[in-house]
């Protein structure tokens, strides 16, 4: 069976930056093993699978090794496919997912996603964290998905070379590292998830669902310019709206074609 496939640089205003995602349009979801094999074949941080349901879509996300409950950049890429290729007249779309309904609105040349906030709480640093970071963080937080480690400066975040084996051995699936921003950004971050088959994710929507309420509490504001300091780099505008987070970014199409599955 031939199915449409798109590869898109999300949270990017130019090609070869941001976070690449594959988006595949299906009539119905294949079995989990097939979806996982496709994502492994695509070998990107995330592959998004879309199934139409009236005006809405059902959406699932797979890394090369596991299915995940939420993925920001692949949701952004999926919205671009819907509103730039499948139905260019549309200004919004709702995706039904394991994290509930996710709405995306087209605004100017970009998109605004509405996701549930992830509130993290202070914890004692797990024994492997200092080994993973090669230093002691200023503060450690955790939610159900990730640890969040605060460093003193954006330069420390940019120069970090974590021990990925130690990160993979943590009792959370990922590690967010953050610090106050520089160069006009409110905060800087990086995200590591080797346990999910992603040594470092270039730009991570899910991490910003935790970073936004965290920095809202520290900076006493609700709107932020954020930079994820991976090698590719990515820019986001983040807003805390009650118990939801709005993430705003742009997409650039890289590849369009068909896949045989």
């Amino acid at each position: 069976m031939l199915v449409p496939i798109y590869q898109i640089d999300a949270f990017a205003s130019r090609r070869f930056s941001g976070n690449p995602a594959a988006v595949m349009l299906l009539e119905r979801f294949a079995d989990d093993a097939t979806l996982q094999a496709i994502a492994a074949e695509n070998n990107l941080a995330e592959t998004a699978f879309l199934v139409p349901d009236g005006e809405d879509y059902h959406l699932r996300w797979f890394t090369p090794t596991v299915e995940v409950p939420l993925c920001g950049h692949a949701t952004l890429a999926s919205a671009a496919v819907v509103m730039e290729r499948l139905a260019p007249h549309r200004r919004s779309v709702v995706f039904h997912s394991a994290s509930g309904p996710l709405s995306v609105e087209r605004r100017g040349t970009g998109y605004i996603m509405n996701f549930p906030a992830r509130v993290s709480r202070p914890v004692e640093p797990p024994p492997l964290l200092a080994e993973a970071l090669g230093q002691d963080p200023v503060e450690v937080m955790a939610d159900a998905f990730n640890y969040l480690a605060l460093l003193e400066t954006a330069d420390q975040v940019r120069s970090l070379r974590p021990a990925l084996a130690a990160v993979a051995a943590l009792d959370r699936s990922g590690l967010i590292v953050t610090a106050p921003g520089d160069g006009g950004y409110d905060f800087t971050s990086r995200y590591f998830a080797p346990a999910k088959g992603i040594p470092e994710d270039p730009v991570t929507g899910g991490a910003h669902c935790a970073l936004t309420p965290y920095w809202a509490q520290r900076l006493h504001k609700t709107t932020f310019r954020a930079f994820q300091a991976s090698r590719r780099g990515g820019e986001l505008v983040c807003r805390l709206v009650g118990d939801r987070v709005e993430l705003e970014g742009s997409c650039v199409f890289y590849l369009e074609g068909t896949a045989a599955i």
Side-chain angles (χ1 to χ4, degrees):
M1 178 174 60
L2 297 178
V3 300
I5 182 171
Y6 305 84
Q7 186 172 322
I8 293 167
D9 292 336
F11 293 118
S13 56
R14 57 181 176 81
R15 204 163 282 113
F16 313 127
S17 64
N19 200 351
V23 179
M24 302 184 71
L25 185 66
L26 306 175
E27 292 181 359
R28 61 185 181 278
F29 290 120
D31 62 88
D32 291 359
T34 299
L35 296 178
Q36 188 63 75
I38 294 168
E41 183 77 11
N42 290 339
N43 199 31
L44 297 171
E46 303 286 348
T47 295
F49 296 100
L50 290 179
V51 171
D53 182 8
E55 291 294 307
D56 298 347
Y57 290 84
H58 292 281
L59 175 58
R60 295 173 69 182
W61 311 272
F62 285 76
T63 79
T65 59
V66 296
E67 183 174 10
V68 295
L70 182 69
C71 177
H73 83 279
T75 303
L76 191 69
S78 298
V81 168
V82 172
M83 288 183 268
E84 296 187 36
R85 294 298 187 267
L86 304 181
H89 62 283
R90 292 187 63 163
R91 306 299 299 177
S92 64
V93 63
V94 175
F95 298 112
H96 299 278
S97 75
S99 294
L102 306 174
S103 62
V104 186
E105 175 188 348
R106 190 170 188 176
R107 185 172 298 180
T109 59
Y111 299 89
I112 297 175
M113 302 184 293
N114 187 292
F115 285 176
R118 293 179 172 178
V119 178
S120 53
R121 307 196 182 281
V123 296
E124 288 296 317
L128 285 170
L129 188 59
E131 178 185 341
L133 295 174
Q135 58 189 295
D136 292 319
V138 175
E139 181 177 53
V140 179
M141 312 286 285
D143 59 28
F145 307 98
N146 300 300
Y147 281 109
L148 188 158
L150 176 67
L151 302 185
E152 291 184 356
T153 69
D155 277 340
Q156 288 178 314
V157 172
R158 284 190 289 265
S159 63
L160 183 67
R161 298 293 181 268
L164 292 177
V167 176
L170 295 171
D171 61 347
R172 297 293 194 279
S173 60
L175 173 62
I176 305 165
V177 182
T178 189
D182 55 12
Y185 296 103
D186 293 293
F187 62 86
T188 297
S189 69
R190 291 171 69 188
Y191 182 64
F192 306 94
K196 296 191 289 187
I198 307 170
E200 179 172 5
D201 198 32
V203 194
T204 315
H208 285 82
C209 291
L211 287 162
T212 301
Y214 175 75
W215 283 104
Q217 187 174 40
R218 290 188 68 89
L219 299 179
H220 307 291
K221 56 190 287 188
T222 56
T223 300
F224 309 91
R225 290 188 68 229
F227 184 74
Q228 191 157 333
S230 64
R231 181 179 58 83
R232 291 174 65 98
E235 300 182 14
L236 307 86
V237 174
C238 310
R239 303 179 188 89
L240 184 64
V241 184
D243 62 353
R244 308 285 294 184
V245 170
E246 289 184 348
L247 302 177
E248 183 174 349
S250 300
C251 288
V252 180
F253 282 75
Y254 168 69
L255 176 152
E256 302 180 49
T258 55
I261 64 172

